[in-house]
């Protein structure tokens, strides 16, 4: 075998050569046959190995795909954070008066290198503008300091009134203007355009057109131009680019205006400082440097998203202030405290924003993404706020998870999936909440309990809508409820028992369904009796009858064979057989729902259906048409009342623990004696 | 536009203004598509168009739903210029939004340079009576002061939603007819408008 594997696995393996060698070496057919089986078993081995490999690759592929999906979510989150940060930095840059000086001084320090980089950037910018000027005919000089091309692309212009296509155009968006150019046709090489119009962004408004696909319009009073982008993504690009351009332009304007204001404010500040320094009782206490810089450092840490460090610094400062309470002059103490309080507020705000649920944030990062913010908020004694927000995140997660459950298809599959997703996610959330986010916090735990109750109620409202549609059978319902109970049981491990809540929500619709089923079943019984001729049931063949006998034995009627007659007959009527089956099914379904709330409805159902059947038997006995069939009626009545009734209530007692069910007694006393008495009367 | 030999229905341009979250988009969507959108997502600037029958005459309404959150008045100017009529919306449950209508009104009058621009003051969220913060009296007296109609709506229950749009369109239509007459008569009556502007300042 080894050698076989070796030789087959060789690089220069040639089947013909191998067979030739083999036939030379082997003596007689037996040996050859032996070789053949060897080869075959090797083939099989390789086959299974291949299969395993395929399977292994497949699982790996699935795992990787999952991992990628996770990663995608995280990347999304990350990009969101980055854009947030970018806007933060932008606003910082535009609001600081000193930023330019800083960057200037930075240039000096870093020497020529920075300047070179700047040069390259500047060159690129100019080159780009020149390129555009070259491609657009009749274009004015675009090269204005600080003007940059932000976006360009092809668009289709539409008639603003009739929405019909007018022409193909190419649009350029710059930091301060927007240029529209029409296409010049039939040219070789790169596309060329003819300058058409120029708009100043100051006088331009951009509007998203909702009811024409991928369209937006530019309002440049009194002109209105409608453009259509090739697809939604490109349209959104244009809209966001326009927005960015306008925002940045306005901030530039504000900056210009702001500079002077800032200067006056600064002056006021310095005056105050001077004033302070002239106060006679200047404390000699040296505050540690970090405390002096506390506010600024905290600002930086928060902006850079080093929340943990910020938190540490805050607690350090708090501790220090506590410790040196009597050494720090009161006004400085107050000032620092006020600043500190302000920064704590700021940090809290940033963190709560982090947790805020908003439509443009992805939830794929899920609860893990919220952990950090929650932890720090807890440390800042903002547990209740964090708890509130966290629960909102949870609700959102649950909602988005449940959205993926397909609502079409069979009711029971939907309910199963929906319930699985709901409880699965809830368990995940519970775990995160009780063990990771808010351990040892009774207040938050009770908020969580309230939350689960609310969610489970919403969940049941959805399920009830799906489950209790007309014509749903009890078996279907019982199957669904079984599943829900089972799933709900899993949550009990965390000390959260929602069954009461679920049963409460089920009570009203379930009672109604039970009553409906009761009425329907009684109706059916009436129909069956109207067609019943009271004849023994002929199953045509022995096999068929054996099958029936077997079925009834499985139900627990051991002496069913005593009703056999001939080869294919059974002395019970078809009506009796059907009733037995229906009733057993009904009973089993009811026992699944059995709960103190529903006892009355269930007992009523079990009693009335059985009583209806018995009443019909009773009237059949009295019916003159069936005088001759009195024997078979008695047999059937006895089966129903003696055997079947006690059988049913044995099952009932076992399941409910009620050893002496009232309805059993009632049925027995109402119908138990009738057949014998009346028969004697008729015989 | 004159080249249209086929009679195009008249186009009335309506602009929704008001603070963020008062229900401008909800009103618009209810009017456009008969649906109430519960989820709140701030609008940037969306436009819609719909053919409607106004007093037996087919017309087109162009609704520009603006951003309540817009921080920069300069940007709003550009939107307002294109409007022929304005629905100035506030929420009866939020006094701030009611106070903000002043600013919107002033800006619109300044941009349009016209004191008689078709304009309706709309108090939305009329279904939330238990949270009412702006009394009917207050709103009505402000509307009276401005010489504009005041209507309370509910985008949720669709109360008066059609009414505000149709009322505004009627005013725009009346206004356009008047303008044509004025233009045919003795040139544009610019003087009147200018004067009114002075009153404002």
């Amino acid at each position: 075998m080894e050698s076989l594997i070796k030789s087959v696995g060789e690089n220069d393996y040639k089947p013909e050569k191998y067979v030739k060698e083999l036939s030379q070496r082997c003596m007689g057919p037996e040996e050859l046959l032996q070789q053949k089986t060897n080869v075959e078993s090797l083939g099989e081995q390789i086959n299974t190995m291949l299969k395993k490999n395929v399977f292994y690759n497949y699982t790996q592929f699935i795992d990787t795909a999952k991992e990628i999906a996770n990663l995608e979510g995280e990347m999304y989150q990350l990009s969101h954070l980055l854009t947030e940060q970018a806007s933060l930095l932008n606003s910082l840059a535009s609001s600081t008066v000193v930023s330019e000086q800083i960057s200037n001084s930075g240039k000096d320090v870093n020497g020529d290198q920075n300047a070179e980089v700047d040069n390259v950037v500047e060159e690129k910018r100019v080159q780009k503008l020149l390129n555009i000027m070259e491609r657009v005919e009749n274009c004015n000089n675009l090269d204005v300091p600080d003007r940059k091309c932000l976006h360009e692309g092809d668009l289709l212009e539409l008639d603003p009134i009739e929405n019909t296509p007018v022409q193909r155009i190419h649009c350029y968006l710059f930091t301060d203007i927007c240029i529209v150019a029409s296409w010049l046709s039939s040219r070789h090489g790169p596309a060329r355009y003819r300058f058409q119009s120029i708009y100043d962004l100051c006088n331009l408004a951009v509007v998203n057109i909702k009811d024409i696909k991928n369209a937006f319009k530019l309002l440049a009073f009194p002109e209105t131009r409608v453009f259509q982008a090739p697809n939604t993504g490109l349209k959104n690009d244009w809209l966001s680019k326009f927005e960015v351009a306008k925002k940045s332009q306005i901030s530039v304007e504000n900056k210009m205006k702001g500079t002077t204001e800032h200067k006056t404010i600064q002056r006021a500040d310095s005056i105050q400082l001077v004033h302070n320094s002239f106060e006679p009782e200047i404390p000699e206490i040296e505050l540690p440097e970090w405390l002096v810089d506390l506010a600024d450092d905290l600002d930086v840490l928060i902006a850079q998203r080093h929340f943990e460090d910020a938190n540490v610094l805050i607690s350090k400062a708090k501790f220090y202030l506590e410790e040196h309470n009597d050494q720090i002059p009161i006004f400085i103490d107050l000032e620092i405290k006020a600043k500190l309080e302000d920064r704590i507020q700021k940090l809290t705000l940033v963190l709560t924003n982090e947790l805020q649920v908003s439509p443009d944030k992805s939830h794929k990062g899920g609860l893990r993404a919220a952990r950090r913010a929650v932890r720090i908020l807890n440390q800042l004694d903002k547990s209740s706020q964090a708890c509130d927000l966290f629960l909102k995140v949870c609700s959102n997660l649950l909602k988005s998870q449940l959205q993926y459950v397909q609502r079409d298809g069979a009711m029971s599959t939907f309910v199963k999936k929906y319930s699985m997703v709901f409880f699965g996610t809830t368990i995940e959330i519970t775990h995160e909440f009780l063990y990771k986010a808010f351990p040892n916090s009774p207040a938050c735990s009770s908020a969580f309990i309230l939350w689960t109750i609310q969610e489970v109620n919403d969940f049941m409202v959805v399920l009830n809508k799906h489950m209790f549609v007309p014509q749903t059978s009890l078996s279907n319902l019982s199957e669904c409820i079984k599943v829900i109970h089972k799933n709900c049981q899993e949550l009990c491990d965390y000390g959260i028992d929602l069954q009461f809540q679920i049963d409460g929500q089920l009570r009203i619709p379930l009672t109604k369904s039970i009553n409906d089923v009761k009425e329907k079943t009684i109706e059916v019984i009436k129909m069956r009796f109207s067609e019943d001729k009271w004849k023994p049931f002929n199953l045509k063949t022995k096999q068929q009858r054996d099958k029936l006998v077997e079925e009834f034995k499985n139900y627990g009627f051991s002496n069913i064979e005593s009703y056999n007659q001939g080869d294919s007959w059974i002395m019970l009527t078809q009506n009796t057989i059907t009733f037995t089956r229906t009733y057993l099914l009904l009973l089993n379904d009811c026992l699944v729902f059995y709960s103190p709330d529903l006892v009355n409805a269930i007992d009523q159902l079990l009693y009335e259906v059985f009583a209806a059947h018995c009443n019909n038997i009773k009237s059949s006995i009295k019916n003159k048409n069936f005088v001759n069939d009195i024997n078979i009626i008695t047999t059937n009545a006895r089966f129903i009342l003696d055997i079947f009734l006690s059988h049913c209530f044995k099952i009932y007692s076992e399941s409910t623990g009620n050893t002496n069910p009232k309805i059993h007694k009632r049925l027995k006393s109402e119908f138990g004696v009738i057949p014998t008495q009346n028969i004697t009367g008729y015989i | 536009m004159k080249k249209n030999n086929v009679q195009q229905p008249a186009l009335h341009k309506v602009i929704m203004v008001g603070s963020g979250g008062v229900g401008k988009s909800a009103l618009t969507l209810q009017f456009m598509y008969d649906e109430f959108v519960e989820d709140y997502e701030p609008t940037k600037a969306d436009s819609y168009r719909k053919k409607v029958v106004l007093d037996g005459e087919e017309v087109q309404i162009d609704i520009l739903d603006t951003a309540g959150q817009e921080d920069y008045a300069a940007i709003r100017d550009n939107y307002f210029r294109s409007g022929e009529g304005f629905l100035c919306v506030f929420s009866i449950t939020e006094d701030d939004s009611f106070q903000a209508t002043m600013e919107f009104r002033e800006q619109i009058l300044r941009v349009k340079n016209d004191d008689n621009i078709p304009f309706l003051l709309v108090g939305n969220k009329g279904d939330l009576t238990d949270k009412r913060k702006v009394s009917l009296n207050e709103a009505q007296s402000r509307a009276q002061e401005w010489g504009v109609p005041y209507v309370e709506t509910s985008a949720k229950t669709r109360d008066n939603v059609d009414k505000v749009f149709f009322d505004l369109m009627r005013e725009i239509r009346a206004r356009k007819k008047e303008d044509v007459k004025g233009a045919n008569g003795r040139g544009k009556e610019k003087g009147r408008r200018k004067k009114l502007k002075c009153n404002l300042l």
Side-chain angles (χ1 to χ4, degrees):
Chain A
M1 206 57 170
E2 289 283 304
S3 65
L4 184 63
I5 293 174
K6 218 175 178 182
S7 60
V8 172
E10 262 172 17
N11 270 343
D12 55 347
Y13 168 74
K14 288 201 182 80
E16 288 88 2
K17 196 177 146 207
Y18 179 74
V19 171
K20 219 177 260 172
E21 270 175 30
L22 210 63
S23 52
Q24 273 169 4
R25 200 153 28 92
C26 292
M27 302 296 225
E30 272 106 55
E31 241 174 279
L32 267 178
L33 276 176
Q34 178 62 34
Q35 289 294 339
K36 187 182 164 226
T37 47
N38 273 354
V39 172
E40 272 171 0
S41 70
L42 182 66
E44 245 157 58
Q45 256 178 21
I46 289 173
N47 209 355
T48 49
M49 243 152 74
L50 266 179
K51 267 185 201 157
K52 263 186 201 158
N53 251 332
V54 168
F55 178 73
Y56 177 71
N57 278 335
Y58 192 61
T59 47
Q60 228 172 13
F61 177 75
I62 291 173
D63 286 348
T64 318
K66 270 185 201 155
E67 205 54 38
I68 289 174
N70 270 344
L71 215 58
E72 191 198 348
E74 265 158 40
M75 294 295 282
Y76 193 85
Q77 204 95 12
L78 211 60
S79 87
H80 183 79
L81 288 181
L82 280 178
T83 44
E84 224 166 60
Q85 208 157 9
S87 69
L88 203 73
L89 285 178
N90 270 340
S91 66
L92 263 180
S94 62
S95 64
T96 21
V97 195
V98 282
S99 67
E100 262 167 59
Q101 286 149 3
I102 288 174
S103 61
N104 283 339
S105 60
K107 243 184 243 170
D108 293 343
V109 174
N110 287 338
D112 301 334
Q113 245 182 344
N114 250 336
E116 234 166 75
V117 172
D118 277 3
N119 269 342
V120 171
V121 171
E122 174 69 13
E123 240 168 63
K124 269 192 183 162
R125 184 186 71 83
V126 172
Q127 192 57 44
K128 173 92 191 164
L129 290 178
L130 288 177
N131 258 340
I132 293 172
M133 285 193 290
E134 210 167 273
R135 288 175 76 176
V136 180
E137 256 177 36
N138 293 340
C139 185
N140 296 345
N141 185 18
L142 292 173
D143 192 6
V144 172
D146 288 334
R147 177 177 291 169
K148 254 195 333 205
C149 179
L150 295 175
H151 199 54
E152 65 169 300
D154 292 330
L155 293 168
L156 185 66
E157 178 162 15
L158 304 180
D159 185 289
I161 305 283
E162 291 172 79
N163 302 327
T164 47
V166 177
Q167 59 178 341
R168 222 147 68 106
I169 56 114
H170 195 83
C171 187
Y172 292 98
L173 174 65
F174 298 91
T175 32
D176 56 341
I177 53 165
C178 170
I179 287 182
V180 177
S182 55
W183 275 67
L184 282 180
S185 52
S186 72
R187 288 284 171 100
H188 297 292
R192 291 176 57 83
Y193 316 103
R194 176 174 290 131
F195 175 83
Q196 210 180 48
S197 37
I198 178 168
Y199 300 102
D200 198 338
L201 280 191
C202 295
N203 299 320
L204 197 65
V206 189
V207 179
N208 178 15
I209 301 184
K210 283 280 192 161
D211 43 7
I212 307 172
K213 215 167 177 244
N214 307 332
F216 63 96
K217 61 180 162 187
L218 299 184
L219 303 177
F221 193 74
E223 205 179 357
T224 300
R225 300 188 72 164
V226 178
F227 299 112
Q228 190 171 36
N231 59 48
T232 320
L234 286 178
K235 177 180 88 166
N236 289 339
D237 268 1
W238 275 108
L239 290 180
S240 59
K241 287 277 162 42
F242 266 112
E243 179 134 345
V244 168
K246 302 203 78 169
K247 284 271 150 72
S248 70
Q249 206 194 8
I250 281 171
S251 68
V252 167
E253 273 168 29
N254 280 358
K255 199 164 99 187
M256 303 237 246
K257 268 186 238 156
T259 327
T260 43
E261 285 169 33
H262 269 293
K263 271 186 186 148
T264 50
I265 290 170
Q266 257 193 340
R267 202 163 301 139
D269 270 356
S270 57
I271 288 169
Q272 224 173 10
L273 268 179
V274 171
H275 176 71
N276 273 349
S277 62
F278 273 106
E279 267 178 29
E281 59 268 90
I282 278 189
E284 283 308 303
I285 285 187
E286 284 278 303
L287 287 172
E289 201 166 316
W290 64 268
L291 198 60
V292 177
D293 296 335
L294 179 69
D296 293 339
D297 284 348
L298 281 176
D299 277 344
V300 171
L301 285 175
I302 292 171
Q304 291 179 342
R305 304 180 60 82
H306 295 310
F307 301 138
E308 284 89 353
D309 297 345
N311 186 31
V312 169
L313 196 54
I314 287 172
S315 30
K316 191 173 158 194
K318 271 186 186 162
F319 181 73
Y320 184 90
L321 290 176
E322 194 99 350
E323 193 90 313
H324 301 81
N325 199 7
D326 39 355
Q327 293 160 35
I328 305 170
I330 191 81
F331 65 92
I332 293 187
D333 184 53
L334 281 180
E335 192 187 323
I336 294 175
K337 271 190 181 153
K339 272 185 186 164
L340 191 61
E341 204 45 51
D342 187 45
R343 295 321 185 272
I344 292 174
Q345 287 289 334
K346 213 164 157 188
L347 182 58
T348 316
L349 195 73
V350 173
L351 288 170
T352 45
N353 269 338
E354 197 90 332
L355 284 175
Q356 214 88 45
V357 176
S358 74
D360 53 335
K361 256 194 219 172
S362 129
H363 314 295
K364 279 192 183 147
L367 301 173
R368 238 185 319 160
R371 235 180 240 175
R372 182 179 176 211
V374 168
R375 193 179 56 233
I376 299 170
L377 279 174
N378 274 337
Q379 286 164 0
L380 286 170
D381 291 333
K382 310 275 182 198
S383 290
S384 62
Q385 245 167 307
C387 176
D388 254 18
L389 291 165
F390 186 73
L391 288 178
K392 274 195 191 127
V393 172
C394 291
S395 296
N396 218 290
L397 176 78
L398 202 55
K399 202 169 129 196
S400 65
Q401 293 286 356
L402 290 176
Q403 257 171 9
Y404 292 119
V405 181
Q406 287 190 335
R407 274 157 207 256
D408 43 358
M411 180 271 276
S412 62
T413 43
F414 166 75
V415 170
K416 272 180 210 159
K417 271 194 211 146
Y418 201 74
S419 153
M420 213 167 69
V421 171
F422 175 80
F423 283 104
T425 314
T426 310
I427 285 173
E428 206 179 294
I429 289 171
T430 313
H431 188 84
E432 183 77 25
F433 192 97
L434 294 180
Y435 296 121
K436 296 274 157 55
F438 303 98
N440 312 323
S441 165
C444 294
S445 297
S446 47
F448 180 70
I449 301 290
L450 280 179
W451 177 83
T452 36
I453 290 174
Q454 180 57 43
E455 289 298 329
V456 93
N457 282 344
D458 292 351
F459 161 75
M460 286 312 293
V461 167
V462 173
L463 278 195
N464 280 348
K465 248 190 231 157
H466 277 88
M467 280 172 24
F468 296 101
V469 288
Q471 308 298 332
T472 319
S473 71
L474 281 189
S475 329
N476 247 342
L477 288 177
S478 73
E479 199 187 335
C480 293
I481 290 169
K482 240 192 247 170
V483 171
I484 298 172
H485 279 167
K486 200 180 120 241
N487 287 333
C488 159
Q489 207 63 39
E490 287 163 19
L491 249 187
C492 287
D493 295 344
Y494 290 92
I496 294 174
D497 190 350
L498 295 170
Q499 182 144 359
F500 174 75
Q501 214 58 34
I502 292 170
D503 285 347
Q505 292 278 332
L506 284 170
R507 191 177 63 224
I508 292 167
L510 208 51
T511 312
K512 192 172 162 293
S513 291
I514 289 173
N515 286 334
D516 287 352
V517 167
K518 180 179 79 190
E519 268 148 37
K520 232 168 57 191
T521 318
I522 291 175
E523 199 64 26
V524 171
I525 287 174
K526 215 192 270 169
M527 286 245 303
R528 279 211 222 99
F529 270 98
S530 70
E531 291 161 3
D532 198 358
K533 301 276 183 287
W534 289 107
K535 297 292 175 225
F537 189 17
N538 184 0
L539 286 131
K540 307 262 172 34
T541 66
K542 194 165 176 340
Q543 283 90 342
Q544 288 286 343
R545 199 200 41 206
D546 286 348
K547 224 167 120 191
L548 183 76
V549 167
E550 190 62 28
E551 183 194 333
F552 271 67
K553 269 191 174 165
N554 282 340
Y555 290 151
F557 304 109
S558 48
N559 64 340
I560 191 77
E561 271 157 336
S562 63
Y563 293 95
N564 285 0
Q565 183 106 14
D567 267 350
S568 62
W569 297 77
I570 192 161
M571 285 306 283
L572 299 175
T573 61
Q574 190 172 4
N575 188 0
T576 307
I577 300 281
T578 318
F579 173 70
T580 314
R581 279 187 191 138
T582 317
Y583 197 78
L584 274 176
L585 204 64
L586 216 55
L587 181 64
N588 282 327
D589 290 339
C590 283
L591 291 176
V592 173
F593 307 136
Y594 197 88
S595 71
D597 289 332
L598 293 168
V599 164
N600 281 333
I602 289 175
D603 281 0
Q604 198 63 25
L605 162 76
L606 291 176
Y607 168 76
E608 278 187 30
V609 170
F610 208 97
H613 193 82
C614 290
N615 276 327
N616 277 308
I617 296 181
K618 227 159 121 183
S619 52
S620 289
I621 289 174
K622 283 180 190 151
N623 192 330
K624 294 252 166 27
N625 294 337
F626 296 130
V627 169
N628 295 330
D629 304 312
I630 205 76
N631 260 330
I632 183 150
I633 299 181
T634 328
T635 315
N636 278 287
R638 275 189 185 283
F639 174 75
I640 295 280
L641 281 167
D642 295 349
I643 299 171
F644 183 56
L645 184 61
S646 23
H647 177 76
C648 285
F649 285 94
K650 211 173 87 203
I651 298 176
Y652 182 93
S653 302
E654 273 167 16
S655 168
T656 60
N658 181 357
T659 47
N660 203 3
K662 253 187 261 161
I663 36 170
H664 184 204
K665 266 202 257 167
R666 202 167 143 202
L667 285 167
K668 261 225 126 86
S669 67
E670 276 179 40
F671 301 103
V673 278
I674 290 158
T676 39
Q677 268 188 357
N678 280 343
I679 299 152
T680 45
Y682 276 99
I683 293 171
Chain B
M1 269 165 249
K2 272 177 190 164
K3 66 185 172 184
N4 294 330
N5 291 333
V6 190
Q7 183 80 46
Q8 264 285 326
L11 180 66
H12 301 313
K13 295 180 186 166
V14 173
I15 296 189
M16 313 288 296
V17 301
S19 316
V22 298
K24 296 180 294 297
S25 301
L27 283 171
T28 311
L29 291 174
Q30 183 63 271
F31 177 73
M32 286 294 298
Y33 307 123
D34 293 328
E35 61 184 21
F36 179 64
V37 184
E38 197 100 33
D39 292 341
Y40 176 63
E41 201 181 329
T43 308
K44 296 243 165 70
D46 295 338
S47 96
Y48 302 84
R49 197 173 285 185
K50 187 180 187 177
K51 276 193 180 141
V52 292
V53 177
L54 176 66
D55 305 327
E57 170 197 6
E58 190 174 73
V59 299
Q60 275 203 82
I61 180 166
D62 182 291
I63 305 172
L64 172 56
D65 184 12
T66 62
Q69 275 76 10
E70 189 57 80
D71 306 329
Y72 302 112
I75 290 185
R76 281 205 303 251
D77 276 7
N78 295 321
Y79 292 112
F80 291 175
R81 259 181 218 123
S82 70
E84 296 169 334
F86 294 82
L87 288 181
C88 183
V89 188
F90 68 91
S91 159
I92 63 157
T93 67
E94 199 196 330
D95 191 54
D96 282 351
S97 71
F98 180 58
Q99 298 313 330
T101 54
M102 291 273 236
E103 202 187 313
F104 283 111
R105 167 90 179 161
E106 271 169 35
Q107 193 181 0
I108 290 166
L109 296 190
R110 177 172 54 74
V111 171
K112 296 303 288 185
N113 192 12
D114 176 356
D115 218 8
N116 286 325
I117 186 83
F119 185 105
L120 251 70
L121 185 62
V122 178
N124 192 30
K125 306 199 185 176
D127 52 302
L128 301 175
T129 40
D130 52 330
K131 292 187 189 148
R132 183 189 269 277
K133 296 274 161 51
V134 181
S135 74
L136 188 62
N137 248 339
E138 229 178 315
Q140 274 170 339
S141 62
R142 179 169 294 178
Q144 207 164 20
E145 192 185 310
W146 291 346
V148 301
Y150 173 66
V151 184
E152 290 204 346
T153 58
S154 164
K156 190 167 185 177
T157 64
R158 213 170 198 281
D159 249 13
N160 282 338
V161 170
D162 281 340
K163 180 182 163 59
V164 286
F165 284 99
F166 278 95
D167 282 1
L168 185 63
M169 278 191 281
R170 280 188 197 103
E171 284 204 26
I172 296 173
R173 187 182 52 186
R175 187 52 202 274
K176 280 179 182 165
K177 274 183 190 151
E178 196 182 299
D179 274 2
V180 170
K181 236 188 255 163
N184 289 347
R186 44 190 159 109
K188 282 207 175 159
E189 226 180 310
K190 275 249 158 121
R192 178 192 54 159
R193 289 184 202 170
K194 277 264 165 64
K195 207 169 163 194
L196 288 166
K197 183 191 159 204
C198 292
N199 281 346
L200 221 181
L201 292 169

